[in-house]
């Protein structure tokens, strides 16, 4: 089947979205992961597509259906996510919602055995996909990060925006029942300042952010 759509305000724009957690292997059967359902990122990808954008969704391991009209690339690790984002460039905008594991460990080739006792893990830092994109010669014109914070949410996110070099940051208060839930309390921090949004279902947060991005490209904010 097919349906005809209005072109939409983001027609002709390419947007990359990252979503979900990453998983870093410890051995062939065990991983280190972040807590993320992927719901918010998937909802944003779907809303951007509804506004006419071509959307590349780079997704960590999640149990979610691909939103209509979205090109999805599945990855597991942070390094794979970074490579998939780089391969998807150029883009007009990137919205990095994924909860990327900050560290990985040197993975054992074979399954670690319980009888050998708790393993000593050798840690290294993962690439920062957002900060790397901010410095990339092919940096998207609009780079949006997310900051999941449990305290001093706005201050922490404001500092993170500056540190990472992104244009906007969506500060997500995860002190309550947000992880895996359906509602989000968010603040949008842009060069123009702070917008605090009423707590809303993730689908509504996605709609607002997608419309905000469309308005930006239309020259309205
Ligand atoms: N991010 C990323 N690559 C990483 C870590 C984070 O692209 N290796 C992105 C996330 O997708 C998000 C933003 O950076 O858009 C902020 O992630 P967050 O984990 O809050 O930032 P960190 O700098 O890792 O700080 P923290 O110590 O609070 O985890
Ligand atoms: Ca982090």
């Amino acid at each position: 089947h097919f349906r005809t759509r209005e072109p939409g305000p983001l027609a002709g724009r390419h947007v990359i979205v990252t979503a979900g957690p990453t998983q870093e292997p410890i051995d062939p059967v065990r991983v280190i992961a972040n807590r993320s359902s992927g719901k918010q990122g998937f909802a944003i990808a779907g809303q951007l597509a509804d506004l006419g954008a071509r959307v590349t969704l780079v997704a960590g391991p999640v149990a979610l259906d691909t939103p209509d009209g979205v090109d999805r690339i599945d990855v597991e690790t942070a390094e794979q996510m970074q490579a998939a984002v780089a391969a998807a460039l150029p883009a007009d905008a990137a919205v990095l919602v994924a909860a990327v594991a900050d560290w990985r460990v040197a993975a054992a080739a074979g399954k670690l055995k319980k009888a050998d006792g708790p393993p000593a893990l050798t840690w290294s830092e993962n690439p920062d996909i957002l900060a790397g994109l901010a410095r990339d010669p092919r940096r998207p014109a609009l780079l949006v990060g997310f900051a999941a914070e449990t305290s001093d949410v706005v201050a922490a996110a404001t500092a993170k925006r500056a540190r990472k070099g992104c244009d906007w940051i969506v500060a997500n208060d995860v002190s309550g029942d947000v992880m895996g839930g359906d509602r989000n309390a968010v603040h949008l921090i842009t060069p123009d300042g702070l917008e605090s949004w009423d707590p809303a279902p993730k689908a509504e947060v996605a709609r607002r952010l997608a419309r905000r991005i469309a308005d930006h490209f239309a020259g309205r904010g």
Side-chain angles (χ1 to χ4, degrees):
H1 79 288
F2 65 92
R3 64 178 199 247
T4 44
R5 308 180 183 234
E6 296 292 307
L10 288 172
R13 305 283 183 185
H14 178 214
V15 185
I16 298 169
V17 178
T18 68
T22 67
Q23 288 185 353
E24 310 297 328
I26 297 172
D27 70 11
V29 300
R30 301 182 179 94
V31 298
I32 291 164
N34 272 18
R35 250 193 231 287
S36 167
S37 66
K39 285 177 185 172
Q40 185 67 84
F42 272 55
I44 290 166
Q47 291 295 330
L48 290 164
D50 281 354
L51 295 184
R54 178 165 76 84
V55 179
T56 303
L57 172 61
V58 181
V62 293
L64 293 173
D65 292 331
T66 309
D68 277 353
V70 167
D71 297 323
R72 172 174 177 178
I73 299 166
D74 286 311
V75 298
E76 290 180 5
T77 68
E79 289 176 306
Q80 290 167 0
M81 185 172 276
Q82 183 181 47
V85 167
L89 291 171
D92 300 286
V95 185
L96 303 197
V97 195
V100 182
D102 290 322
W103 309 287
R104 66 181 179 278
V105 299
K111 184 184 175 187
L112 300 169
K113 299 306 287 183
K114 184 166 64 176
D116 294 332
L121 301 177
T122 305
W123 295 85
S124 44
E125 194 166 316
N126 268 330
D128 190 315
I129 302 165
L130 178 57
L133 209 47
R135 293 187 302 263
D136 195 295
R138 294 194 295 165
R139 181 196 196 281
L142 180 65
L143 192 50
V144 183
F146 266 65
E149 307 290 348
T150 53
S151 60
D152 301 319
V153 175
V154 169
T158 302
K160 206 166 263 182
R161 175 181 170 273
R163 195 166 69 237
K164 303 250 184 189
C166 57
D167 302 299
W168 299 358
I169 202 154
V170 180
N172 202 354
D173 187 339
V174 293
S175 57
D177 175 32
V178 167
M179 303 312 269
D182 288 317
R183 289 177 84 81
N184 254 355
V186 308
H187 310 268
L188 178 66
I189 299 161
T190 75
D192 298 329
L194 172 70
E195 293 172 28
S196 292
W197 297 355
D198 292 333
K202 289 179 179 177
E204 177 58 24
V205 170
R207 256 192 299 278
R208 293 182 74 156
L209 184 63
R211 265 193 253 120
R212 200 67 181 63
I213 290 170
D215 287 349
H216 172 80
F217 282 112
R220 297 187 296 267

